[in-house]
Amino acid sequence: MSDDKPVVGIIMGSRSDWPTLKEAASVLDALKVPYETKVVSAHRTPKRLYAYASSARERGLKVIIAGAGGAAHLPGMTASMTELPVLGVPIESRALKGLDSLLSIAQMPAGVPVGTLAIGAAGATNAGLLAAQILALSDRRLAARVMAWRAAQTDSVAEAVEDNA
C-alpha cells in the first residue's frame, strides 16, 4: 500500500474475512491506489461502523469496499450512512457457501445502492478493479494504469492450446 492518503476503504466484519479481501488490496497495490483496511462489524461494533461511514468522505475516501458473510449487513449499513459508492463483496460462508451473503448484499431496498460483486476471491478482485475504474474517471494517470493492467490480462491468455505435458 502507498504512503499516500487513502482513497479507498476496505472494511470487513471480521478479521477472518481478510484472506478474501486481500485480493482487492492486491489489485489496488498493483494499480498504486492508496487504501486503508479496518475491521468494522455491523453487529458487534455498530458505533465504530457509524463513525467510519459517516466520516469517510471528509477523511478523503472516495470508494468503500465492504466484505461480509452470513447476514452480510455491513455493506448495506455502510451505504446507508455515506453517499460514497459502496462495493459489497460476499464472503463465502460455511452454511450456504456464500449464497446467504450474496443475497443479503444484493437485496438492498431502492434508494440505498450497493454494488454487489461475486462471492469470494473473484468478487474481491473485481471490487478492487471496479474501485480503481471509478477513481480513474477523474484521474488520467490511474486510467492509464488500469488500461495497462487490463491489456496485460488480455495478453496473458494464450491463443492456442498446447499440450506440453
Side-chain angles (χ1 to χ4, degrees), residues 40-132:
V40 182
S41 170
H43 300 113
R44 295 180 305 261
T45 64
K47 289 179 183 176
R48 186 184 306 168
L49 169 58
Y50 177 80
Y52 186 88
S54 63
S55 69
R57 185 180 190 122
E58 70 187 38
R59 291 184 296 106
L61 295 184
K62 296 181 186 213
V63 179
I64 297 173
I65 297 170
H73 288 111
L74 183 61
M77 289 301 297
T78 301
S80 77
M81 292 183 246
T82 183
E83 68 281 3
L84 297 178
V86 176
L87 307 176
V89 177
I91 304 295
E92 186 173 335
S93 60
R94 284 188 206 119
L96 297 173
K97 302 303 233 177
L99 184 59
D100 49 347
S101 311
L102 173 66
L103 294 175
S104 292
I105 296 170
Q107 293 300 314
M108 289 299 298
V112 186
V114 173
T116 308
L117 286 297
I119 298 167
T125 297
N126 285 341
L129 185 56
L130 186 55

